[in-house]
């Protein structure tokens, strides 16, 4: 009767206990069997596993414990993330592949690194000597020896339990009893020192979060600086590529299309032709004027023409090439008998053509071609372009090499 009452009191007392949330971290080399073990605990088929990239998380209820297990990837490159989970861990599950003797040294170093971390030292550790079903797997004593386990745990003041097991034996309620036993042991130790552990974990977690925030800010700052440097480099490169200077002053430069519609070219040419005609008329009128006046007139005309040349660019050059016969016509149309006028005219023509690249002047030394170039039709630009052969070419005095 007394014992029944004591049991009832104990049950009632346990019911009053608050639910404790406990986080565990599961680590070990890749291929050790961590995910298989975690799946087995959860009641899933343990053999259907793939290497863990990052982590996987399982939640389970064990008596008064709400347990969260972080199953972390064990690959060499992923091991760096383990430390991010140490602060909130109440204990460690370290899984060892007992059948892989060759990697025992690596396992030892890795375990030592975990236990000496300031956020792990002093916390309980469960070692699962996994894959006992495999032939040649090391037994419990061999694993302890290979890992120098006693020495290591004493050094870092960690309570330790080792369980030889096989994760693929079963799952859920049929899970390997050693795994179940090991888990009970770990939770029991945690429950015993819960207050002290909990205080440490709260403190470590706050520090860890602050550190993470700091790292995040530093990372963002690094990214910002890198972006700024890259943009600066791009700007400098753009300047080197010649988009600086005028291009910078005028962000949208006007690009003159060299391939203008033919109608535009014709209109330009017509204008030019009209101007030429006017000029000719004026020249005829001016023939009566004194030579100096005419010289002045020619100079202003040349400068006007040069300016226009630079303005009109390609089109103007083309126009000039086409209007060349008009100037020749000036030359040929002058009556040769008027000797005074002829002298004046020669001088005038030299000035007139001074802005062009001319062949050696043949006016005096070489006799003129017996067949003068054909005069252009009066309405030249109103008609289709003449055949290439009759068009006056620049430097037409020089004959083609191949004729
Ligand atoms: N024979 C045998 N095979 C096992 C046992 N436990 C796991 N395996 C197999 O070992 C391989 C690796 O198992 P995982 O659970 O993925 O190993 P892990 O430790 O999670 O590996 P990472 O995620 O890469 O860190 C899988 O093919 C499992 O089926 C076991 O107890 N016995
Ligand atoms: Mg895994």
């Amino acid at each position: 009767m007394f014992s029944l009452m004591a049991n009832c009191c104990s049950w009632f007392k346990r019911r009053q206990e608050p639910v404790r949330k406990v986080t565990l971290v599961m680590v070990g080399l890749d291929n050790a069997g961590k995910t298989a073990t975690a799946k087995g605990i959860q009641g899933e088929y343990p053999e259907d596993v793939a290497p863990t990239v990052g982590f996987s998380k399982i939640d389970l209820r064990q008596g008064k414990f709400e347990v969260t297990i972080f199953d972390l990837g064990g690959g060499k490159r992923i091991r760096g993330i383990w430390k991010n989970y140490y602060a909130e861990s109440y204990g460690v599950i370290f899984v060892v592949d007992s059948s892989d003797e060759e990697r025992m040294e690596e396992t030892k170093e890795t375990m030592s690194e975990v236990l000496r971390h300031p956020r792990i030292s002093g916390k309980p550790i469960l070692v699962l000597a996994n894959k006992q079903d495999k032939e040649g797997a090391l037994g419990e004593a061999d694993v302890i020896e290979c890992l120098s386990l006693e020495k290591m745990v004493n050094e870092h003041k960690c309570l330790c339990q080792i369980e030889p097991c096989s994760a693929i034996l079963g799952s859920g309620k049929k899970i390997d009893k050693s795994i179940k036993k090991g888990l009970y042991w770990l939770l029991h130790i945690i429950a015993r020192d819960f207050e002290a552990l909990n205080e440490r974990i709260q403190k470590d977690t706050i520090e860890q979060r602050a550190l993470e925030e700091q790292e995040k800010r530093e990372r963002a700052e690094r990214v910002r600086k890198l972006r700024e440097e890259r943009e600066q480099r791009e700007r400098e490169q753009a300047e080197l590529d010649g988009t600086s200077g005028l291009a910078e002053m005028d962000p949208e430069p006007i690009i003159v299309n060299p391939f203008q519609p033919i109608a535009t070219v014709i209109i330009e040419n017509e204008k030019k032709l009209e101007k030429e005609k006017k000029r000719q008329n004026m020249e005829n009128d001016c023939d009566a004027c004194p030579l100096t006046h005419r010289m002045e007139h020619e100079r202003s005309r040349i400068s006007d023409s040069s300016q226009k040349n630079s303005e009109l660019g390609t089109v103007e050059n083309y126009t000039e090439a086409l209007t060349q016969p008009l100037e020749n016509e000036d030359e040929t149309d002058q009556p040769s008998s008027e000797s005074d006028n002829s002298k004046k005219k020669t001088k005038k023509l030299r000035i007139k053509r001074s802005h062009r690249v001319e062949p050696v002047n043949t006016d005096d030394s070489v006799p003129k071609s017996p067949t003068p170039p054909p005069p252009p039709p009066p309405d030249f630009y109103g008609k289709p372009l003449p055949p290439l052969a009759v068009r006056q070419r620049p430097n037409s005095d020089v004959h083609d090499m191949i004729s």
Side-chain angles (χ1 to χ4, degrees):
M1 181 68 183
F2 181 76
S3 120
L4 185 67
M5 275 183 69
N7 277 344
C8 278
C9 283
S10 159
W11 177 82
F12 190 74
K13 199 180 163 193
R14 263 190 278 131
R15 271 204 66 158
Q16 294 297 308
E17 278 175 13
V19 175
R20 285 170 167 170
K21 287 186 178 176
V22 165
T23 301
L24 302 173
V25 69
M26 187 184 269
V27 290
L29 300 191
D30 47 297
N31 200 52
K34 299 180 292 294
T35 306
T37 305
K39 283 201 164 202
I41 292 170
Q42 258 194 323
E44 290 175 24
Y45 190 59
E47 278 185 88
D48 188 16
V49 285
T52 309
V53 181
F55 74 94
S56 66
K57 181 176 158 253
I58 63 164
D59 295 303
L60 58 125
R61 182 76 186 246
Q62 188 67 49
K64 279 286 163 190
F65 291 102
E66 272 180 12
V67 185
T68 298
I69 303 177
F70 283 110
D71 163 24
L72 306 179
K76 239 180 184 163
R77 291 183 186 176
I78 311 170
R79 286 177 214 163
I81 67 162
W82 291 2
K83 61 178 186 308
N84 298 334
Y85 298 84
Y86 291 164
E88 56 190 307
S89 280
Y90 286 74
V92 179
I93 302 172
F94 199 103
V95 183
V96 179
D97 181 352
S98 314
S99 67
D100 196 350
E101 218 177 319
E102 282 182 8
R103 296 187 79 186
M104 278 298 157
E105 194 53 38
E106 188 186 354
T107 306
K108 183 180 167 182
E109 281 167 19
T110 309
M111 189 186 280
S112 170
E113 211 171 304
V114 175
L115 295 189
R116 74 164 167 263
H117 195 280
R119 294 214 161 95
I120 289 290
S121 292
K123 289 180 180 175
I125 175 170
L126 167 68
V127 178
L128 294 177
N130 194 33
K131 300 198 185 181
Q132 289 297 317
D133 61 291
K134 277 184 122 179
E135 212 181 301
L138 296 174
E140 182 184 336
D142 290 335
V143 173
I144 292 171
E145 196 185 320
C146 283
L147 300 178
S148 308
L149 195 59
E150 273 184 275
K151 185 174 172 269
M152 204 191 300
V153 294
N154 286 334
E155 214 174 330
H156 300 292
K157 298 182 174 61
C158 297
L159 284 173
C160 178
Q161 171 100 343
I162 180 165
E163 290 292 341
C165 64
S166 177
I168 56 158
L169 273 188
S171 63
K173 285 187 178 168
K174 290 184 181 168
I175 194 173
D176 187 337
K177 282 188 178 131
S178 298
I179 298 175
K180 216 188 260 184
K181 194 175 146 202
L183 197 56
Y184 283 155
W185 172 85
L186 189 59
L187 291 173
H188 170 74
I189 297 295
I190 289 169
R192 211 181 61 184
D193 293 331
F194 190 79
E195 296 307 324
L197 266 174
N198 192 44
E199 202 176 308
R200 177 180 172 186
I201 279 153
Q202 299 306 323
K203 184 173 157 281
D204 285 355
T205 308
I206 290 168
E207 282 178 15
Q208 172 82 15
R209 288 204 183 130
L211 192 77
E212 279 170 12
E213 280 297 314
Q214 172 77 10
E215 280 174 1
K216 210 165 137 187
R217 277 198 298 273
E218 284 172 4
R219 212 178 306 129
E221 182 63 16
R222 275 201 303 277
V223 170
R224 193 187 61 77
K225 272 188 184 163
L226 282 172
R227 194 183 297 134
E228 270 180 16
E229 280 169 18
R230 195 193 64 211
E231 284 171 1
Q232 175 70 20
R233 269 201 307 277
E234 280 173 1
R235 271 199 298 275
E236 285 171 6
Q237 188 59 44
E239 279 171 19
L240 281 175
D241 287 349
T243 49
S244 60
L246 286 173
E248 255 185 13
M249 286 189 283
D250 185 5
E252 285 181 14
I254 299 158
I255 298 160
V256 179
N257 182 7
F259 302 102
Q260 293 183 36
I262 190 68
T264 316
V265 179
I266 290 169
I267 290 165
E268 288 289 338
N269 288 343
E270 279 173 350
K271 280 182 190 168
K272 174 76 183 167
L273 191 65
E274 268 178 35
K275 277 185 185 173
E276 281 297 326
K277 275 180 182 173
K278 276 183 193 168
R279 183 182 59 76
Q280 277 176 28
N281 291 338
M282 276 172 67
E283 276 172 10
N284 291 336
D285 294 345
C286 264
D287 277 347
C289 304
L291 180 65
T292 48
H293 281 163
R294 272 188 282 146
M295 290 278 281
E296 281 296 315
H297 170 72
E298 286 302 329
R299 264 198 212 103
S300 67
R301 194 185 60 78
I302 287 161
S303 67
D304 183 39
S305 173
S306 310
Q307 199 182 344
K308 269 188 273 175
N309 262 345
S310 64
E311 281 170 7
L312 291 172
T314 322
V315 174
E316 188 65 19
N317 288 337
Y318 175 66
T319 312
E320 196 163 4
L322 289 175
T323 52
Q324 185 89 0
L326 291 173
E327 287 170 5
N328 283 339
E329 191 185 17
D330 283 353
E331 282 178 73
T332 50
D333 279 355
Q334 297 305 314
S336 55
S337 56
E338 297 172 15
S339 58
D340 290 352
N341 271 351
S342 174
K343 271 187 180 177
K344 287 171 192 171
K345 203 71 190 170
T346 309
K347 199 160 192 174
K348 181 182 80 179
L349 284 169
R350 272 183 198 150
I351 297 163
K352 195 164 70 181
R353 303 182 77 187
S354 64
H355 63 295
R356 291 194 208 112
V357 178
E358 289 287 330
V360 179
N361 191 354
T362 54
D363 279 355
D364 301 327
S365 56
V366 183
K368 281 187 180 176
S369 169
T371 51
D379 191 13
F380 185 84
Y381 292 104
K383 292 182 179 177
L385 290 172
L388 192 66
V390 296
R391 241 187 285 164
Q392 184 83 18
R393 284 175 293 163
N395 297 348
S396 62
D397 294 343
V398 180
H399 295 288
D400 287 340
M401 292 294 282
I402 302 164
S403 57

